[in-house]
Amino acid sequence: MTINVYTEQTPNPATMKFMVNKLLINGSEDFATKESAESSPFAKELFKFNFVNGVFFASNFVTITKTDDAEWSDIEAILKEFVKGAVESELKIKDAADEAPNFEGTETEIKIQQILHDYVRPAVEQDGGAITYKSFDEGIVTVELRGSCSGCPSSTITLKSGIQNLLQRMVPEVKEVVSEAM
């Protein structure tokens, strides 16, 4: 199979989404630091580039966060070629366990998790990010935004206008959605 890699800009100017025509991982893996990438041969190799500041994998893409002093025009082709070679040589992201969702908690919490998984996750992944449910307490849903969503200027708008409105319509007990800092 010929591996094709193309890039997409994300709402976060510091991140770029590198799409491939092959499933890379079920679920997602976030490596926000070089130290956290020790368990991932693929991410560990990416962090060897001095302009890589974060790596996030989901389904058929890797989102790469660059350092402030790097310009996409200088590094995009290098990263594209690296990603292509890494996928072709089947460099491991992690030993991927089967990622069937396992929702836990009260009936309301399970409903919230199901909505986040079915409706919100695919939309957030389109922008190179991921969302993780953390908790539901006294009407407040706490989530964690990762990948390109972490530190993105438009993530607050996404959180309040998109996710919060959707959950409030579908789960009347939800009063607010907040993001936990990483």
Side-chain angles (χ1 to χ4, degrees):
M1 173 182 192
T2 303
I3 298 298
N4 296 315
V5 180
Y6 67 94
T7 57
E8 285 184 4
Q9 291 184 330
T10 71
N12 184 346
T15 67
M16 179 84 63
K17 191 171 165 184
F18 292 78
M19 307 282 299
V20 297
N21 59 329
K22 178 181 179 181
L23 181 68
L24 298 175
I25 186 172
N26 285 318
S28 63
E29 288 292 332
D30 191 20
F31 303 98
T33 64
K34 191 175 192 168
E35 295 72 33
S36 68
E38 285 303 310
S39 63
S40 170
F42 198 142
K44 196 171 169 181
E45 288 300 311
L46 277 168
F47 273 107
K48 287 183 179 177
F49 292 105
N50 63 357
F51 48 77
V52 171
N53 202 27
V55 178
F56 173 77
F57 297 96
S59 57
N60 68 328
F61 66 87
V62 54
T63 300
I64 300 172
T65 304
K66 68 174 186 64
T67 55
D68 291 338
D69 60 344
E71 295 298 326
W72 284 117
S73 57
D74 297 331
I75 63 174
E76 183 178 347
I78 296 165
L79 289 170
K80 208 170 171 179
E81 195 58 38
F82 174 83
V83 169
K84 179 177 171 53
V87 173
E88 286 173 343
S89 66
E90 298 186 5
L91 193 58
K92 293 267 186 234
I93 292 168
K94 247 187 147 164
D95 293 327
D98 191 28
E99 285 278 332
N102 183 22
F103 306 134
E104 296 177 350
T106 65
E107 193 176 317
T108 301
E109 290 172 307
I110 290 170
K111 188 173 182 180
I112 291 167
Q113 292 169 66
Q114 188 74 53
I115 292 166
L116 289 173
H117 182 269
D118 294 347
Y119 299 99
V120 178
R121 182 186 55 85
V124 171
E125 284 182 358
Q126 287 287 55
D127 284 337
I131 185 167
T132 306
Y133 169 83
K134 289 297 186 183
S135 65
F136 176 68
D137 186 36
E138 296 183 17
I140 299 172
V141 176
T142 303
V143 296
E144 179 182 71
L145 297 170
R146 297 179 294 143
S148 70
C149 295
S150 178
C152 173
S154 58
S155 65
T156 303
I157 296 164
T158 301
L159 196 67
K160 297 298 179 182
S161 299
I163 301 166
Q164 183 170 293
N165 287 347
L166 175 70
L167 284 172
Q168 286 174 330
R169 275 196 318 273
M170 297 178 84
V171 185
E173 298 88 343
V174 172
K175 293 179 182 22
E176 187 180 11
V177 177
V178 297
S179 179
E180 182 179 85
M182 293 237 342

